[in-house]
Structures are given as C-alpha cells and as structure tokens.
C-alpha cells in the first residue's frame, strides 16, 4: 500500500483541505492518506475552534477526505515551527509513509527546496547574522528574513512572509535530515488553491483560509459554505473569556520564579505577565500588551498556554528531544484501518485505547500522552464540559 502523510491542524477543516488531500492522492499515487494533526491547542498556542475528535471526524468523514488521523503530541504541536515540523515529520517517517505532502504558497516548489538546502548548509552564518541584526533592535522575524536575504537573495527571503511557506521549509529541512540517515522519503509541496491563509475567495469559489474562517467564527458569521460538512463549533467568546479567567487564577498564585520555569518564559517576561494580568480585560489585549520585538504574538500565546498546562522548559525539552514512537488514534476509515493492520508490528504504535495500551509504551511516550491528556482536560474545562465524560480516557476514536 503506497501511503502519503500530511501534517495538519484542520482548525477548522475546510474545502481547501479537501483540495489538498485530493491533490496529494493524485500527485503521489497514494492508496492511503494519513494526517498527523494537532490536538486541542494549536501551533499558535490557541485553543482550537472545536476539539480534536470533531476535527478528525470531519477530515475522515468528508468525501475524498483522509483515511487516518493521529494526534501530534501537545509537546510538539504547541511549539515553534521547527519543533512542530520535526515532531510531525518524525511521526510520519516512523509510521512508514512513502511521501510527505504539505501546502505552500510558492508558485515553483523547487524554490522552496533550494531555500531549504541553503537554510541547512548556511545555518550557522544565518544564525550569526540574525543575532547581530536583533542586537540592532530588529524583531526576530525581520532579522531572520534579512539574514536569509544576505545568503539566498531577496526573492528567496520573500518566501518567508507566508505562514504556509515557513512551515513548508521546516518540513523540507526535516525530510532532508531523514534522507541523510538513509530513509528514502519523498516530499510533495502542493500549491494552495483559492484564497490565502487569512483571506476569503470570490463568492463563487467557496474557499477561505483557516485564519479567515476563525475570524468569521469570532464575529458569529456563517462559515458552512467553506467547509465540507456541518460541525459543531465552540463559542469563541466563551472560550476566550474562560481562558483568561483560568489564566488569571494560575498567574496570581504564581511567583516570578514559578513562571520563569515555564516553557517560553524568561528574560523578564514573567514579571510582565504578573504585572499585565491584573488589568487585562481580554486575552487578545493581554497578548498585545506583552508582545515586543523579542516576543511575537504567537510566542506569547504559546507561553500562556504552557502556563495553563504547567509545562516547564525541562519537561518540554526532554519530551521533544527524540522522535515520538506512539500517538493517539483520533479517526480512521477503511484504508486507515488496513494500514494499521499492516503496520501493527512496525516502529510506531497507534494507540486506540489509552487505558489498555499505556503500560506497553516507552516511558517518554507515556509522558507525551499524559501531557496530551492534561491539555485535553484543560480544553474541556474551557468548554464547560464534564471532565470525566470528555476525557481522553473515555472518548473513543471515530471509526468509519
């Protein structure tokens, strides 16, 4: 069985994702498409618009959708692009896929491949140049873009201005890492069709980027024409308000030393959080108050989510230092179930029942899943759900 892997968030799952899956099948000749998907919190550090089970079900139940959805552990999912991409690619490689497919904005994918090669070969000099420019007062993103332009040219550096291209480059770099170890994994960049990440297409196209759809949901607008099937979305305002209140309680009982041990926090950010939390009227307002040249909005969001989960630097570094060898099954179709049967003795364990299979896993995989469970519990608390009934110990994968 020829298999293609996709790294995804599906936040929410929309018509553009269906297009990507269709193109992946067409261009790769894959019999089975596996998605490694973020759980209840995303790479930007935000609670997802609906839970991981709902998003996975949407991906598998859609016509021409995915065949299998496995959760990317929280330790990798709620991380900067390099760690996020490494975790997802490593999982797919261990699962034994033949090709890894991902979306991009580049008209010519070969430009992405060439830039990825440069980012690997000139990594030390790019890092030194970036650090020097940050010392001049530039933001991390701008300093990095200028450092890349010095090595690869202005046209190549422009690729860094798209969120999809940034992740695509990280996927390509990690795929190159595995090729260097003798793994014959193929890459398949797929040009996005329709609107951009933050845009809505012309009325007749029914395509909208994930960022645009999330903004529409926040405004209470109807997004049904942009998604392949009806899903139940969480109330964005309720999620945001509860997030802020729980965060306030957590921060108010913490000392600066407590917060400084949390992943993503340091160099005085802990003091700023304690100061700003007392007057924050919204989570967006708090993030805006904490954002600086050194800390982007996404960096702040991730750090605040780690405050909620209590994830420390040491724990996160330990858990992300090696490739996961297990992940939770969220949804599967017929082809996905066939894939699991054929690979049940492979290097990767797809966990279908946490209570029954937990003790058979390696210690670090058990730790990853426990952190996933904690993140899910906090998400369910934000949604006002019964914590037992909605827990990872009770919920079952969607099987089609």
């Amino acid at each position: 069985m020829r298999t293609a892997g996709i790294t995804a968030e599906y936040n929410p799952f929309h018509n553009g994702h269906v297009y990507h899956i269709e193109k992946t099948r067409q261009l790769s000749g894959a019999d089975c498409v596996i998605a490694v998907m973020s759980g209840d919190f995303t790479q930007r550090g935000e609670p997802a618009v609906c839970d991981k089970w709902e998003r996975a079900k949407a991906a598998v139940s859609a016509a021409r959708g995915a065949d299998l959805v496995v959760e990317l552990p929280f330790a990798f999912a709620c991380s900067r692009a390099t760690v996020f991409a490494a975790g997802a690619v490593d999982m797919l490689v261990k699962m034994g896929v033949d090709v890894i497919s991902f979306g991009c904005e580049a008209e010519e994918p070969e430009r992405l491949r060439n830039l990825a090669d440069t980012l690997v070969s000139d990594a030390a000099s790019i890092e030194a140049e970036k650090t020097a420019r940050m010392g001049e007062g530039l933001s991390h993103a701008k300093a990095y873009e200028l450092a890349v332009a010095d090595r690869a040219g202005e046209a190549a550096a422009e690729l860094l201005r798209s969120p999809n291209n940034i992740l695509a480059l990280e996927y390509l770099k990690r795929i190159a890492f595995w090729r260097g170890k003798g793994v014959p994994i193929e890459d398949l960049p797929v040009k996005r069709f329709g609107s951009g990440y933050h845009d809505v297409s012309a009325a007749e196209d029914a395509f909208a980027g994930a960022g645009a759809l999330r903004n529409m949901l926040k405004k209470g607008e109807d997004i049904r024409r942009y998604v392949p099937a009806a899903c139940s979305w969480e109330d964005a305002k309720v999620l945001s308000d509860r997030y802020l209140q729980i965060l306030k309680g957590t921060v108010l009982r913490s000392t600066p030393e407590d917060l400084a041990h949390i992943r993503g926090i340091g160099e005085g950010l802990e003091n700023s959080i304690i100061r700003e939390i007392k007057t924050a009227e919204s989570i967006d307002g708090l993030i805006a108050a904490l954002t600086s040249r050194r800390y982007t909005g996404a960096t702040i969001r991730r750090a605040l989510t780690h405050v909620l989960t209590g994830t420390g630097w040491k724990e996160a570094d330990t858990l992300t230092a090696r490739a996961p060898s297990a992940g939770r099954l969220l949804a599967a179709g017929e082809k996905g179930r066939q894939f699991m049967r054929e690979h049940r003795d492979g290097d990767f364990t797809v966990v279908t029942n946490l209570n029954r299979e937990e003790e058979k896993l390696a210690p670090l995989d058990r730790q990853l899943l426990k952190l996933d469970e904690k993140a899910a519990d906090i998400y369910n608390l934000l949604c006002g759900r019964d914590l037992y009934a909605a827990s990872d110990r009770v919920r079952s994968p969607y099987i089609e």
Side-chain angles (χ1 to χ4, degrees), residues 32-59:
C32 176
V33 174
I34 298 171
V36 169
M37 188 191 80
S38 300
D40 292 323
F41 291 91
T42 67
Q43 196 262 330
R44 289 170 55 82
E46 298 173 324
V49 297
C50 52
D51 70 42
K52 58 192 178 186
W53 308 99
E54 183 76 18
R55 284 155 39 233
K57 177 181 177 181

Side-chain angles (χ1 to χ4, degrees), residues 115-124 126 169 172-174 176-177:
L115 179 54
D117 290 342
T118 299
L119 295 179
V120 172
S121 62
D122 293 0
I126 290 173
L169 287 164
L172 287 166
K173 287 162 61 180
R174 195 61 179 180
F177 165 82

